[in-house]
Amino acid sequence: MSLYRRLSRLAAHLQDPQKVAAFQRLCGVELFYMLFFPFCMWNVDAWLGRRLVHIWVWVMYVGQCTKDVIRWPRPASPPALKLEVFYNSEYSMPSTHAMSGTAIPLALLLLSYGRWQYPLMFGLILAFCWCSLVCCSRIYMGMHSILDVIAGFLYAILILVVFHPAVDLIDNFNMTYKYAPLIIISLHLALGIFSFTLDTWSTSRGDTAQILGCGAGVACGSHVNYILGINLDPTPDKLPLSLNSLTVTVFGKAILRLLIGVVILLLTKIVMKKATISLACKIFRIPHDDVRKARQRMEVELPYRYITYGMVGFSLMFFVPGLFQFIGLS
């Protein structure tokens, strides 16, 4: 019996909701990103957080587009036992969860080591455990074959090798170039339109649009911060940064910032979602009695996802840190 079948059958005997939920939190779901990137931006290092977002956006965009070009179906069920059905309408090759689960921890290690003081072995173990759990969970969930996961792992490394050397230039361009916001918004929107033409509707189209929107919002927010001279990065003389200053007070403020900030991001998402779907339906004269069906039209889903998550990304970088400074929580 193949390893793939053994893992899939093992899932039939391990349908513990807590285990499934734990896997899901590490599989690239939106909730994870809503917690990880804000925590990194507000509590760890905005310089590091911006670069992780740039890499995440590029890796996920290339991965999603590659899926729609190759068009390999998901593993058949049976023999696979699927514990997740939300992404079942997407294609399978490569696994974008495996791609993000490889690219983010490796990029975190590459970007933080030397900038922060910590043992290299700690970073290597964290990256290995993170990557292994995410990749294995996709097989456990019955959503990918071993080949999908291996391809996603190797594809992410290839993209990281090409993209990592340019990430500093991209971040510097986003912050300092006068017309950066116009170029960023136009480029990300054009990439979204291109991805929507690759195949018929699936959850990957909406995910691609919201990833591009989030990336554009973060880039534009960093530009505004730089122009206004607020939330600036530590100067070179303050490097490397240290974790030795962690105290109960610092930890408490970090958790408070995360709770307040994430609530604001969720409210921004809810308000913008409601406004943009209604507006898009009116502009393109699409009936919105059935919102779920209306969202499957490109004229609705692309602007709704792009604008909504663009504002979430902008709030992440600009509005929420500004609020923290105003209430003395920065």
Side-chain angles (χ1 to χ4, degrees):
M1 184 184 297
S2 67
L3 175 61
Y4 172 66
R5 279 192 183 180
R6 288 182 181 180
L7 285 172
S8 296
R9 290 192 176 184
L10 178 62
H13 304 286
L14 296 176
Q15 295 188 43
D16 184 342
Q18 294 182 348
K19 290 187 177 68
V20 174
F23 275 123
Q24 283 291 78
R25 284 193 291 272
L26 290 170
C27 287
V29 294
E30 183 180 340
L31 177 60
F32 168 76
Y33 294 126
M34 273 288 221
L35 295 174
F36 174 75
F37 287 129
F39 185 85
C40 189
M41 295 283 193
W42 302 332
N43 297 321
V44 180
D45 188 356
W47 180 94
L48 176 62
R50 293 195 307 270
R51 282 157 175 76
L52 288 175
V53 169
H54 300 330
I55 290 172
W56 169 69
V57 169
W58 185 245
V59 165
M60 291 298 291
Y61 178 77
V62 173
Q64 295 283 29
C65 288
T66 303
K67 274 186 177 182
D68 289 337
V69 170
I70 297 177
R71 301 184 180 183
W72 281 20
R74 296 282 187 183
S77 177
L81 176 64
K82 295 186 178 181
L83 301 183
E84 177 186 78
V85 295
F86 181 76
Y87 295 104
N88 205 39
S89 61
E90 293 184 19
Y91 294 112
S92 185
M93 169 67 79
S95 168
T96 47
H97 284 80
M99 290 179 69
S100 65
T102 301
I104 291 179
L106 289 181
L108 182 62
L109 175 62
L110 290 171
L111 293 168
S112 64
Y113 188 71
R115 181 177 176 85
W116 283 83
Q117 292 180 331
Y118 63 86
L120 176 60
M121 186 56 64
F122 172 79
L124 290 173
I125 292 174
L126 176 63
F128 174 78
C129 292
W130 185 336
C131 179
S132 300
L133 284 172
V134 173
C135 290
C136 290
S137 74
R138 302 316 293 161
I139 303 172
Y140 175 91
M141 291 288 184
M143 297 305 291
H144 286 286
S145 67
I146 294 177
L147 182 60
D148 297 337
V149 171
I150 293 175
F153 171 79
L154 296 176
Y155 201 16
I157 291 178
L158 175 63
I159 295 171
L160 198 56
V161 168
V162 174
F163 192 72
H164 177 259
V167 72
D168 287 335
L169 294 174
I170 293 171
D171 190 63
N172 186 63
F173 171 84
N174 291 343
M175 291 195 301
T176 61
Y177 187 61
K178 182 178 180 180
Y179 299 108
L182 180 61
I183 295 173
I184 292 164
I185 293 172
S186 301
L187 176 61
H188 284 223
L189 184 59
L191 291 173
I193 294 173
F194 170 75
S195 70
F196 270 56
T197 64
L198 292 176
D199 195 41
T200 56
W201 184 89
S202 71
T203 52
S204 67
R205 297 203 322 180
D207 289 346
T208 301
Q210 71 184 45
I211 289 166
L212 290 169
C214 185
V218 167
C220 291
S222 65
H223 179 83
V224 174
N225 284 340
Y226 179 83
I227 295 300
L228 297 179
I230 57 178
N231 303 317
L232 298 178
D233 298 324
T235 55
D237 60 288
K238 295 182 179 179
L239 301 178
L241 303 172
S242 174
L243 296 173
N244 295 333
S245 58
L246 183 62
T247 63
V248 174
T249 302
V250 171
F251 179 76
K253 283 188 174 181
I255 297 301
L256 187 58
R257 278 193 294 267
L258 184 65
L259 291 175
I260 294 174
V262 168
V263 168
I264 294 173
L265 295 184
L266 290 174
L267 290 175
T268 301
K269 174 188 169 183
I270 293 170
V271 172
M272 293 303 301
K273 177 180 178 180
K274 186 173 183 179
T276 51
I277 291 178
S278 299
L279 182 61
C281 287
K282 288 181 180 179
I283 291 176
F284 295 103
R285 298 179 180 179
I286 297 173
H288 59 278
D289 298 333
D290 187 346
V291 176
R292 187 182 184 87
K293 187 176 181 180
R295 283 172 48 185
Q296 294 184 9
R297 297 283 297 272
M298 185 185 80
E299 302 93 322
V300 175
E301 186 166 36
L302 180 58
Y304 140 58
R305 298 268 191 172
Y306 188 78
I307 295 173
T308 296
Y309 286 89
M311 282 303 302
V312 170
F314 190 79
S315 299
L316 168 66
M317 282 304 303
F318 180 70
F319 288 128
V320 175
L323 174 63
F324 292 157
Q325 286 190 346
F326 179 74
I327 63 177
L329 199 57
S330 59

